[in-house]
Amino acid sequence: MTPELFLQKKAAEAVRVLYGTEVAETSLQVSVTRKEFEGDYTLVVFPLLKISHAAPEATGNAIGAYLSEHTPEIAAYNCVKGFLNLSFSPV
C-alpha cells in the first residue's frame, strides 16, 4: 500500500469518527508535501468543509490531532490554511 492510499484510508476513518459521515477514500486528495513546508504528505482539507462546518484550519487541526493520536505512523502534523501536512514517524 502506498503512503497516499494509507493516508486516504486513515483520513476517511478520521472523518467518519469526527463528523459521522462516510467519505470515499479516493475522494481525498493526498500528495507529497511541497519542499517549502514541513511534512511528508499533504491532505487537502477544503473539500471536507461542507462536512465539518468549520474553518479550514479548525478542520485540518481536528483531523491532524485524530491521526496523530490514533495512527502510530504519524509523528507530527501542521495545518497551513486548508492544507494538512503530515510527517511520518522514523522507522
Side-chain angles (χ1 to χ4, degrees):
M1 178 180 295
T2 67
E4 291 91 347
L5 292 175
F6 174 77
L7 290 173
Q8 286 175 323
K9 178 180 177 182
K10 292 299 184 177
E13 173 188 308
V15 170
R16 181 178 40 77
V17 171
L18 293 171
Y19 305 112
T21 301
E22 295 287 335
V23 294
E25 295 171 10
T26 55
S27 71
L28 300 173
Q29 300 172 13
V30 176
S31 60
V32 175
T33 302
R34 291 175 29 193
K35 291 179 182 168
E36 61 265 25
F37 296 104
E38 186 177 326
D40 298 314
Y41 289 88
T42 300
L43 170 69
V44 180
V45 177
F46 294 111
L48 301 172
L49 300 182
K50 288 182 180 181
I51 294 169
S52 71
H53 302 290
E57 288 208 17
T59 302
N61 284 322
I63 294 170
Y66 178 89
L67 291 175
S68 66
E69 184 177 331
H70 294 92
T71 309
E73 294 86 353
I74 301 295
Y77 72 92
N78 67 79
C79 190
V80 180
K81 300 187 181 178
F83 301 95
L84 175 60
N85 301 315
L86 301 160
S87 299
F88 278 106
S89 301
V91 178

